[in-house]
PDB file of all heavy atoms in Angstrom:
ATOM      1  N   ASP R  38       5.186  -7.832   9.371  1.00 97.00           N
ATOM      2  CA  ASP R  38       5.145  -6.770  10.507  1.00 97.00           C
ATOM      3  C   ASP R  38       4.271  -5.577  10.217  1.00 97.00           C
ATOM      4  O   ASP R  38       4.649  -4.426  10.298  1.00 97.00           O
ATOM      5  CB  ASP R  38       6.569  -6.349  10.806  1.00 97.00           C
ATOM      6  CG  ASP R  38       6.677  -5.465  12.058  1.00 97.00           C
ATOM      7  OD1 ASP R  38       5.860  -5.737  13.026  1.00 97.00           O
ATOM      8  OD2 ASP R  38       7.524  -4.677  12.149  1.00 97.00           O
ATOM      9  N   PRO R  39       2.946  -5.763   9.964  1.00 98.00           N
ATOM     10  CA  PRO R  39       1.976  -4.682   9.745  1.00 98.00           C
ATOM     11  C   PRO R  39       1.601  -3.988  11.081  1.00 98.00           C
ATOM     12  O   PRO R  39       1.240  -4.761  12.054  1.00 98.00           O
ATOM     13  CB  PRO R  39       0.782  -5.290   9.073  1.00 98.00           C
ATOM     14  CG  PRO R  39       0.832  -6.719   9.524  1.00 98.00           C
ATOM     15  CD  PRO R  39       2.274  -7.134   9.699  1.00 98.00           C
ATOM     16  N   TRP R  40       1.749  -2.756  11.198  1.00 98.00           N
ATOM     17  CA  TRP R  40       1.347  -1.959  12.322  1.00 98.00           C
ATOM     18  C   TRP R  40       0.951  -0.531  11.937  1.00 98.00           C
ATOM     19  O   TRP R  40       1.128  -0.110  10.852  1.00 98.00           O
ATOM     20  CB  TRP R  40       2.482  -1.884  13.389  1.00 98.00           C
ATOM     21  CG  TRP R  40       3.776  -1.114  12.931  1.00 98.00           C
ATOM     22  CD1 TRP R  40       4.735  -1.507  12.087  1.00 98.00           C
ATOM     23  CD2 TRP R  40       4.088   0.260  13.294  1.00 98.00           C
ATOM     24  NE1 TRP R  40       5.597  -0.487  12.002  1.00 98.00           N
ATOM     25  CE2 TRP R  40       5.251   0.561  12.772  1.00 98.00           C
ATOM     26  CE3 TRP R  40       3.430   1.139  14.165  1.00 98.00           C
ATOM     27  CZ2 TRP R  40       5.837   1.781  12.907  1.00 98.00           C
ATOM     28  CZ3 TRP R  40       4.019   2.399  14.324  1.00 98.00           C
ATOM     29  CH2 TRP R  40       5.260   2.718  13.674  1.00 98.00           C
ATOM     30  N   ALA R  41       0.235   0.025  12.848  1.00 98.00           N
ATOM     31  CA  ALA R  41      -0.227   1.438  12.700  1.00 98.00           C
ATOM     32  C   ALA R  41      -0.069   2.264  13.941  1.00 98.00           C
ATOM     33  O   ALA R  41      -0.094   1.751  15.057  1.00 98.00           O
ATOM     34  CB  ALA R  41      -1.675   1.358  12.244  1.00 98.00           C
ATOM     35  N   ARG R  42      -0.006   3.532  13.793  1.00 97.00           N
ATOM     36  CA  ARG R  42       0.025   4.473  14.927  1.00 97.00           C
ATOM     37  C   ARG R  42      -1.346   4.628  15.496  1.00 97.00           C
ATOM     38  O   ARG R  42      -2.368   4.489  14.816  1.00 97.00           O
ATOM     39  CB  ARG R  42       0.401   5.866  14.400  1.00 97.00           C
ATOM     40  CG  ARG R  42       1.877   5.998  13.898  1.00 97.00           C
ATOM     41  CD  ARG R  42       2.007   7.455  13.311  1.00 97.00           C
ATOM     42  NE  ARG R  42       3.333   7.619  12.882  1.00 97.00           N
ATOM     43  CZ  ARG R  42       4.399   7.932  13.600  1.00 97.00           C
ATOM     44  NH1 ARG R  42       4.255   8.134  14.860  1.00 97.00           N
ATOM     45  NH2 ARG R  42       5.534   8.149  12.986  1.00 97.00           N
ATOM     46  N   PRO R  43      -1.448   5.010  16.825  1.00 97.00           N
ATOM     47  CA  PRO R  43      -2.741   5.340  17.357  1.00 97.00           C
ATOM     48  C   PRO R  43      -3.251   6.577  16.593  1.00 97.00           C
ATOM     49  O   PRO R  43      -2.471   7.337  15.989  1.00 97.00           O
ATOM     50  CB  PRO R  43      -2.324   5.764  18.847  1.00 97.00           C
ATOM     51  CG  PRO R  43      -1.086   5.020  19.027  1.00 97.00           C
ATOM     52  CD  PRO R  43      -0.306   5.018  17.701  1.00 97.00           C
ATOM     53  N   THR R  44      -4.604   6.761  16.572  1.00 96.00           N
ATOM     54  CA  THR R  44      -5.150   7.907  15.918  1.00 96.00           C
ATOM     55  C   THR R  44      -4.776   9.228  16.518  1.00 96.00           C
ATOM     56  O   THR R  44      -4.478   9.370  17.740  1.00 96.00           O
ATOM     57  CB  THR R  44      -6.730   7.834  15.932  1.00 96.00           C
ATOM     58  OG1 THR R  44      -7.126   7.522  17.151  1.00 96.00           O
ATOM     59  CG2 THR R  44      -7.199   6.838  14.937  1.00 96.00           C
ATOM     60  N   ILE R  45      -4.697  10.265  15.641  1.00 92.00           N
ATOM     61  CA  ILE R  45      -4.395  11.670  16.110  1.00 92.00           C
ATOM     62  C   ILE R  45      -5.619  12.380  15.557  1.00 92.00           C
ATOM     63  O   ILE R  45      -6.097  12.290  14.392  1.00 92.00           O
ATOM     64  CB  ILE R  45      -3.120  12.203  15.338  1.00 92.00           C
ATOM     65  CG1 ILE R  45      -1.954  11.391  15.736  1.00 92.00           C
ATOM     66  CG2 ILE R  45      -2.943  13.689  15.660  1.00 92.00           C
ATOM     67  CD1 ILE R  45      -0.674  11.594  14.914  1.00 92.00           C
ATOM     68  N   GLY R  46      -6.239  13.214  16.421  1.00 86.00           N
ATOM     69  CA  GLY R  46      -7.373  14.067  16.072  1.00 86.00           C
ATOM     70  C   GLY R  46      -6.855  15.302  15.432  1.00 86.00           C
ATOM     71  O   GLY R  46      -5.775  15.872  15.753  1.00 86.00           O
ATOM     72  N   MET R  47      -7.521  15.731  14.337  1.00 69.00           N
ATOM     73  CA  MET R  47      -7.189  16.947  13.617  1.00 69.00           C
ATOM     74  C   MET R  47      -8.402  17.749  13.575  1.00 69.00           C
ATOM     75  O   MET R  47      -9.424  17.440  12.938  1.00 69.00           O
ATOM     76  CB  MET R  47      -6.685  16.636  12.278  1.00 69.00           C
ATOM     77  CG  MET R  47      -5.656  15.621  12.207  1.00 69.00           C
ATOM     78  SD  MET R  47      -4.129  16.024  11.367  1.00 69.00           S
ATOM     79  CE  MET R  47      -4.327  17.602  10.563  1.00 69.00           C
ATOM     80  N   GLY R  48      -8.348  18.984  14.173  1.00 53.00           N
ATOM     81  CA  GLY R  48      -9.574  19.866  14.221  1.00 53.00           C
ATOM     82  C   GLY R  48      -9.329  21.001  13.291  1.00 53.00           C
ATOM     83  O   GLY R  48      -8.206  21.280  12.795  1.00 53.00           O
ATOM     84  N   THR R  49     -10.403  21.694  12.914  1.00 44.00           N
ATOM     85  CA  THR R  49     -10.334  22.927  11.995  1.00 44.00           C
ATOM     86  C   THR R  49     -10.833  24.042  12.917  1.00 44.00           C
ATOM     87  O   THR R  49     -11.143  23.941  14.031  1.00 44.00           O
ATOM     88  CB  THR R  49     -11.190  22.727  10.794  1.00 44.00           C
ATOM     89  OG1 THR R  49     -12.546  22.514  11.236  1.00 44.00           O
ATOM     90  CG2 THR R  49     -10.686  21.523   9.971  1.00 44.00           C
ATOM     91  N   SER R  50     -10.834  25.195  12.308  1.00 38.00           N
ATOM     92  CA  SER R  50     -11.201  26.382  12.992  1.00 38.00           C
ATOM     93  C   SER R  50     -12.609  26.349  13.548  1.00 38.00           C
ATOM     94  O   SER R  50     -13.463  25.718  12.932  1.00 38.00           O
ATOM     95  CB  SER R  50     -10.969  27.610  12.118  1.00 38.00           C
ATOM     96  OG  SER R  50     -11.860  27.555  11.034  1.00 38.00           O
ATOM     97  N   GLU R  51     -12.883  27.019  14.669  1.00 39.00           N
ATOM     98  CA  GLU R  51     -14.239  26.931  15.308  1.00 39.00           C
ATOM     99  C   GLU R  51     -15.124  27.636  14.341  1.00 39.00           C
ATOM    100  O   GLU R  51     -14.793  28.500  13.472  1.00 39.00           O
ATOM    101  CB  GLU R  51     -14.049  27.682  16.589  1.00 39.00           C
ATOM    102  CG  GLU R  51     -13.446  26.926  17.637  1.00 39.00           C
ATOM    103  CD  GLU R  51     -13.505  27.570  18.992  1.00 39.00           C
ATOM    104  OE1 GLU R  51     -14.355  28.542  19.135  1.00 39.00           O
ATOM    105  OE2 GLU R  51     -12.630  27.242  19.773  1.00 39.00           O
ATOM    106  N   GLY R  52     -16.448  27.274  14.396  1.00 35.00           N
ATOM    107  CA  GLY R  52     -17.433  27.791  13.664  1.00 35.00           C
ATOM    108  C   GLY R  52     -17.741  26.930  12.419  1.00 35.00           C
ATOM    109  O   GLY R  52     -18.827  27.037  11.739  1.00 35.00           O
ATOM    110  N   HIS R  53     -16.935  25.933  12.072  1.00 34.00           N
ATOM    111  CA  HIS R  53     -17.162  24.962  11.009  1.00 34.00           C
ATOM    112  C   HIS R  53     -17.788  23.750  11.620  1.00 34.00           C
ATOM    113  O   HIS R  53     -17.468  23.432  12.763  1.00 34.00           O
ATOM    114  CB  HIS R  53     -15.971  24.607  10.253  1.00 34.00           C
ATOM    115  CG  HIS R  53     -15.359  25.804   9.460  1.00 34.00           C
ATOM    116  ND1 HIS R  53     -14.604  26.738  10.002  1.00 34.00           N
ATOM    117  CD2 HIS R  53     -15.593  26.171   8.175  1.00 34.00           C
ATOM    118  CE1 HIS R  53     -14.271  27.617   9.126  1.00 34.00           C
ATOM    119  NE2 HIS R  53     -14.931  27.363   8.008  1.00 34.00           N
ATOM    120  N   SER R  54     -18.620  23.089  11.019  1.00 36.00           N
ATOM    121  CA  SER R  54     -19.337  21.907  11.535  1.00 36.00           C
ATOM    122  C   SER R  54     -19.470  20.810  10.423  1.00 36.00           C
ATOM    123  O   SER R  54     -19.382  21.133   9.189  1.00 36.00           O
ATOM    124  CB  SER R  54     -20.606  22.200  12.194  1.00 36.00           C
ATOM    125  OG  SER R  54     -21.550  22.617  11.106  1.00 36.00           O
ATOM    126  N   HIS R  55     -19.823  19.612  10.920  1.00 38.00           N
ATOM    127  CA  HIS R  55     -20.091  18.544  10.009  1.00 38.00           C
ATOM    128  C   HIS R  55     -21.409  18.654   9.382  1.00 38.00           C
ATOM    129  O   HIS R  55     -21.854  17.822   8.536  1.00 38.00           O
ATOM    130  CB  HIS R  55     -20.087  17.147  10.729  1.00 38.00           C
ATOM    131  CG  HIS R  55     -18.659  16.661  11.100  1.00 38.00           C
ATOM    132  ND1 HIS R  55     -17.783  16.305  10.103  1.00 38.00           N
ATOM    133  CD2 HIS R  55     -18.021  16.684  12.259  1.00 38.00           C
ATOM    134  CE1 HIS R  55     -16.625  15.912  10.702  1.00 38.00           C
ATOM    135  NE2 HIS R  55     -16.845  16.128  12.022  1.00 38.00           N
ATOM    136  N   GLY R  56     -22.158  19.652   9.710  1.00 39.00           N
ATOM    137  CA  GLY R  56     -23.536  19.862   9.157  1.00 39.00           C
ATOM    138  C   GLY R  56     -24.540  19.727  10.214  1.00 39.00           C
ATOM    139  O   GLY R  56     -25.739  20.231  10.002  1.00 39.00           O
ATOM    140  N   SER R  57     -24.280  19.220  11.431  1.00 41.00           N
ATOM    141  CA  SER R  57     -25.159  19.185  12.450  1.00 41.00           C
ATOM    142  C   SER R  57     -25.274  20.536  13.101  1.00 41.00           C
ATOM    143  O   SER R  57     -26.330  20.836  13.819  1.00 41.00           O
ATOM    144  CB  SER R  57     -24.812  18.128  13.497  1.00 41.00           C
ATOM    145  OG  SER R  57     -23.570  18.546  14.098  1.00 41.00           O
ATOM    146  N   GLY R  58     -24.351  21.408  13.039  1.00 43.00           N
ATOM    147  CA  GLY R  58     -24.363  22.672  13.567  1.00 43.00           C
ATOM    148  C   GLY R  58     -23.968  22.778  15.121  1.00 43.00           C
ATOM    149  O   GLY R  58     -23.801  23.800  15.620  1.00 43.00           O
ATOM    150  N   ASP R  59     -23.769  21.622  15.688  1.00 45.00           N
ATOM    151  CA  ASP R  59     -23.527  21.655  17.113  1.00 45.00           C
ATOM    152  C   ASP R  59     -22.137  21.088  17.452  1.00 45.00           C
ATOM    153  O   ASP R  59     -21.710  21.313  18.574  1.00 45.00           O
ATOM    154  CB  ASP R  59     -24.511  20.863  17.943  1.00 45.00           C
ATOM    155  CG  ASP R  59     -24.706  19.439  17.469  1.00 45.00           C
ATOM    156  OD1 ASP R  59     -23.741  18.709  17.265  1.00 45.00           O
ATOM    157  OD2 ASP R  59     -25.841  19.072  17.251  1.00 45.00           O
TER     158      ASP R  59
END
Side-chain angles (χ1 to χ4, degrees):
D38 193 27
W40 67 280
R42 293 178 179 271
T44 47
I45 300 170
M47 306 236 353
T49 60
S50 59
E51 290 185 16
H53 293 84
S54 68
H55 285 290
S57 65
D59 55 48

